[in-house]
Amino acid sequence: MLLTFTTVLAVAGTSAALAGLVQSLRGARHRVPMVRSRRPPKLRRGPAAAPTAAETAPPAATTPAIEPLVGRDVGRWHFMLASASLGLGSAGLFAPSLLIAGAVLSAITMPPIFVAGFAPLRRRRVGIDTLDSLIYLACALRGQLFLLPYAAFVSHLARHLVRRTEDTSYRRLTTALQDQSRQVWLVHEGGDHQVPLDRVRPGDLVVVSAGEVVPCDGVVVRGDASLNRAALTGEERTVDVGPDDRVLATTLVLTGRLYIRVTRSGADSTAGEVAAMLNSADDLRRDLASHGEAHVNTVAPPTFLVGLAGAPFLGASAMVALWNSVPGYMYRIVAPIGMMHTLTGALDRGILVRDARVLAFLRRVDTVIFDKTGTVTTGEPRVETIGCADGWTEDELIALAATAEYHQVHPIAEAVRAVARRRGLAPRAPDWVDYETGRGLRALIDGRPVHVGSLPFVAGSGVHIAEPFAGEIRGHLNAGKTMIGVAFDHRFAGYFALSATLRPEAAPVVGRLRRRGLKVWLISGDLEEPTRRVADTLGVDRWIAEQLPADKARIVRSLQDSGRTICFIGDGLNDAVALRQAHVAISLAQANVVATDAADLLLLTPDLALVIAAMDEAILLEGKLLGAKWATIVPGVAAAASTVFLGTGLITSILCNQVGLWTGIAVSRARFPELATPDPEGEGETIEGTFALSLPGG
């Protein structure tokens, strides 16, 4: 029996050492750089703090700054050496020289644990690393050389599991974010061509118009514009730029057009977005690890005192075993693993969690606010009717509007350009554009002013809309159409009547949210009648129309001040301010780049049912962590009881901790293929599904 046991340990230790070596070598080739991101903290309440110099300063170089990875490499080598020491120590039962070699090799891996263990003693405290260090030293002083490699291996195994889970999750999350490729306008051979952002290289010339976001860091070559830096600094701040000025990625162009010589590649800009996601996940992982550390460090001092008190009656061996029987000993390892598994589980369902810190807010959401156009309706509305003033043909009106909307990314602009393409019309770039978020735009075409936007916006520019157009427009509004007016040289030129199709899952999703007790709102910049018709179809609790971007954010802030936890779901440039204000911001991956930049969660497929799935993932994370916590507490209690009443020793305590570790990991990685299902009687919802356990590597 002893021969079989030691042989198994030797093989296991050798295999783990080889696996660690292979992983370390692979990690050197396939490492994900932790690039520092300029993405600002989300606005939660009140005004944002003034931007710091670090946030607004241009990058010092065209390559990303890479955080040191030495710590992770050292951790991998420590695990590999601890695994080798376990193999040597096991074989050393038959060859004493190998036992000594295994003990020496294990000692090489222990300094980081000693440093962490004895640091609390300077503050007259005892932590879990203190107990680990004392257990190792006690085994060494008592001459239990076989236990030294085993203790070192167990200490490093837990940390290795966390690193392995993190690396796997980071690779998958990074790939998913990089797959959401953005399109930019590249000037090449005298024309503008859309290309993926990742293909843009330093030295390329890109053009950015009003209503678009600067895609890369660079220097203005030609043009003048006003930029809004809210997406960069978190503060609504306008900056005027011109030739030779530096501009930074993620700033919004409000007026004008810029030709920018790229100084930082599109791939680096994408890497910055990856860094923002990884750093936020790292923040939550540290929060959960700290939560686990707080638990075990709270229990460690009483455990230490119990061991000391029991030593005179039970002996030194029992004292060491009791020190190792901390209830919840492995929870500090299980909690981060459970969190990272939740992120990858959400990704499997089509939910990319860009800011993992909001998962805590998502569990407490009591009010969900939907934007209308492009969120509860399909992405691109259809132009159904075109009304032309005297002297204008439909083709002329379409060409004028499509030219004014050149490069604009709003769904209505896409709809107008789609009509132009179907008719074979080729819009060109206007001379100048001034974009007013949520209302419309002013442009100069051949030196003449053009206004395209909502009817109040066009009328507010001094344009009179006379009969019969006023009557026609009222009829379209009563039918729930969205109306866009066009004026040329301060005279009304015509209108477009557009309609959008509700997403088929929108009404069922609203019903399910309300059955869960959540309040559901609909906020839109559209006029009252189209908004009312959509709201009545969806069955929301409240709807508000004709809201500008600042108005949407003001509503969110007002609800927050009343004590509500807000989830805002939007997809447009008009929603960005409200998305940054909300506790939880959700957008569609195909949405406007400003909206996706402000979002905490991206729905990779345009299915609003994923909103409920995301809430379920957050709720289940809390439940799984609670279950995992108890799964690590019970074995610790059992080990202590076994030591006191049955006289077992350190090996039994170590085995109990391993049971707690693997049981806790299994619980924290439980899968629920079908999370949320409607109550069959329509009176409520339950979270249920098939329960399956998943262990690392499985």
Side-chain angles (χ1 to χ4, degrees):
M1 178 65 72
L2 180 61
L3 176 62
T4 302
F5 179 67
T6 54
T7 302
V8 169
L9 288 181
V11 172
T14 304
S15 301
L18 292 175
L21 177 61
V22 171
Q23 185 178 11
S24 180
L25 295 176
R26 288 180 61 192
R29 296 196 307 268
H30 303 291
R31 186 173 293 143
V32 179
M34 295 292 289
V35 185
R36 298 193 182 276
S37 169
R38 293 195 302 271
R39 190 181 184 214
K42 283 176 61 66
L43 301 176
R44 290 303 175 199
R45 285 174 183 254
T52 64
E55 290 174 321
T56 57
T62 59
T63 56
I66 301 179
E67 293 183 356
L69 292 170
V70 176
R72 297 183 72 82
D73 285 342
V74 170
R76 290 190 181 97
W77 281 101
H78 280 165
F79 173 70
M80 184 181 67
L81 293 176
S83 303
S85 74
L86 177 64
L88 291 173
S90 302
L93 292 178
F94 307 98
S97 59
L98 294 180
L99 181 61
I100 295 174
V104 171
L105 198 58
S106 73
I108 295 175
T109 70
M110 291 301 293
I113 296 176
F114 289 154
V115 171
F118 291 113
L121 294 179
R122 293 194 294 268
R123 301 188 299 272
R124 297 181 180 180
R125 295 179 181 176
V126 174
I128 190 64
D129 288 321
T130 308
L131 293 183
D132 285 344
S133 302
L134 291 175
I135 291 168
Y136 186 90
L137 293 176
C139 291
L141 292 175
R142 299 182 74 239
Q144 296 174 314
L145 299 185
F146 168 72
L147 291 179
L148 297 181
Y150 196 78
F153 175 76
V154 168
S155 297
H156 289 290
L157 172 63
R159 293 165 174 80
H160 171 73
L161 291 177
V162 173
R163 284 193 300 270
R164 179 177 176 181
T165 303
E166 287 177 348
D167 291 343
T168 301
S169 300
Y170 284 171
R171 282 195 297 270
R172 292 197 58 198
L173 294 170
T174 300
T175 301
L177 188 62
Q178 290 176 326
D179 285 344
Q180 309 305 309
S181 180
R182 298 177 182 173
Q183 299 290 314
V184 300
W185 291 96
L186 181 68
V187 179
H188 182 63
E189 297 180 354
D192 302 347
H193 307 279
Q194 274 196 313
V195 299
L197 175 60
D198 289 346
R199 288 177 52 186
V200 176
R201 298 290 180 264
D204 285 345
L205 187 65
V206 298
V207 58
V208 188
S209 302
E212 294 184 296
V213 172
V214 176
C216 310
D217 296 349
V219 177
V220 177
V221 175
R222 176 158 50 97
D224 297 282
S226 294
L227 306 181
N228 186 325
R229 309 184 74 163
L232 178 64
T233 66
E235 179 186 37
E236 295 291 339
R237 183 183 179 196
T238 301
V239 179
D240 294 326
V241 297
D244 299 326
D245 287 336
R246 294 182 66 90
V247 292
L248 302 181
T250 75
T251 51
L252 172 66
V253 180
L254 295 176
T255 64
R257 178 184 294 107
L258 297 176
Y259 289 82
I260 301 170
R261 185 71 65 185
V262 175
T263 59
R264 190 166 181 253
S265 72
D268 289 346
S269 296
T270 302
E273 291 302 309
V274 171
M277 177 186 65
L278 298 187
N279 291 341
S280 71
D282 231 22
D283 289 340
L284 181 60
R285 179 190 60 78
R286 281 192 292 269
D287 288 345
L288 288 171
S290 299
H291 179 63
E293 291 280 358
H295 167 76
V296 294
N297 285 332
T298 299
V299 181
T303 305
F304 175 73
L305 294 176
V306 168
L308 287 180
F313 307 100
L314 303 174
S317 178
M319 177 186 70
V320 175
L322 287 172
W323 284 350
N324 196 60
S325 303
V326 178
Y329 175 80
M330 292 297 183
Y331 182 60
R332 58 178 176 160
I333 305 300
V334 169
I337 290 177
M339 184 277 292
M340 297 305 299
H341 188 261
T342 293
L343 298 186
T344 54
L347 187 60
D348 289 337
R349 302 182 61 130
I351 305 162
L352 177 60
V353 182
R354 298 181 73 243
D355 190 343
R357 292 167 293 185
V358 303
L359 292 176
F361 284 109
L362 191 57
R363 294 194 295 267
R364 301 195 298 270
V365 163
D366 53 30
T367 304
V368 179
I369 301 176
F370 286 95
D371 169 57
K372 182 176 76 69
T373 304
T375 303
V376 297
T377 63
T378 53
E380 187 173 312
R382 301 185 307 276
V383 175
E384 293 198 349
T385 306
I386 302 173
C388 301
D390 291 340
W392 289 87
T393 66
E394 287 191 359
D395 282 357
E396 289 172 340
L397 186 67
I398 294 168
L400 179 68
T403 296
E405 298 278 13
Y406 190 75
H407 284 191
Q408 296 301 309
V409 293
H410 192 275
I412 290 177
E414 296 282 0
V416 172
R417 289 199 299 269
V419 174
R421 286 193 299 270
R422 287 197 296 270
R423 299 198 179 198
L425 304 175
R428 55 191 173 87
D431 304 326
W432 174 86
V433 177
D434 176 12
Y435 183 79
E436 190 167 328
T437 307
R439 292 173 58 82
L441 58 83
R442 305 173 186 87
L444 283 179
I445 300 177
D446 297 331
R448 311 286 285 275
V450 177
H451 293 76
V452 180
S454 67
L455 295 177
F457 172 76
V458 173
S461 63
V463 175
H464 177 62
I465 304 176
E467 297 291 351
F469 296 110
E472 293 177 10
I473 289 171
R474 282 194 297 271
H476 289 304
L477 289 174
N478 290 335
K481 301 293 193 301
T482 295
M483 302 301 298
I484 296 298
V486 182
F488 179 75
D489 204 9
H490 300 293
R491 291 184 176 85
F492 187 69
Y495 66 83
F496 294 88
L498 302 95
S499 65
T501 303
L502 274 179
R503 297 188 186 276
E505 77 280 5
V509 166
V510 169
R512 294 172 67 180
L513 290 171
R514 295 187 67 194
R515 287 195 295 273
R516 291 185 173 203
L518 279 66
K519 297 295 184 182
V520 181
W521 289 40
L522 180 70
I523 300 180
S524 176
D526 205 349
L527 298 178
E528 275 201 23
E529 188 58 31
T531 305
R532 183 189 65 79
R533 285 176 171 266
V534 172
D536 289 346
T537 302
L538 294 178
V540 298
D541 293 289
R542 185 173 178 185
W543 59 272
I544 306 177
E546 300 184 47
Q547 297 299 297
L548 296 176
D551 297 328
K552 296 179 180 181
R554 176 183 52 78
I555 292 170
V556 172
R557 189 180 304 113
S558 175
L559 289 171
Q560 289 174 327
D561 290 340
S562 68
R564 292 189 172 276
T565 304
I566 308 300
C567 172
F568 192 96
I569 306 167
D571 79 316
L573 175 61
N574 307 342
D575 305 317
V577 182
L579 286 166
R580 288 198 302 270
Q581 179 65 45
H583 294 101
V584 180
I586 301 179
S587 186
L588 282 66
Q590 299 80 12
N592 180 279
V593 62
V594 181
T596 58
D597 279 346
D600 305 308
L601 282 74
L602 288 182
L603 309 184
L604 301 183
T605 57
D607 183 359
L608 295 179
L610 293 177
V611 173
I612 294 178
M615 292 180 175
D616 290 342
E617 289 283 1
I619 293 170
L620 288 171
L621 173 62
E622 183 177 37
K624 289 190 294 186
L625 290 180
L626 180 61
K629 184 175 184 178
W630 280 105
T632 58
I633 289 176
V634 171
V637 174
S642 175
T643 301
V644 173
F645 297 109
L646 301 179
T648 57
L650 180 60
I651 292 180
T652 300
S653 177
I654 290 175
L655 291 177
C656 286
N657 282 335
Q658 290 300 298
V659 170
L661 171 65
W662 294 103
T663 304
I665 289 177
V667 172
S668 70
R669 291 171 59 95
R671 298 181 186 274
F672 293 81
E674 297 177 359
L675 289 177
T677 57
D679 187 290
E681 298 181 0
E683 297 178 355
E685 287 218 341
T686 58
I687 298 177
E688 58 184 34
T690 304
F691 183 82
L693 298 182
S694 174
L695 298 177

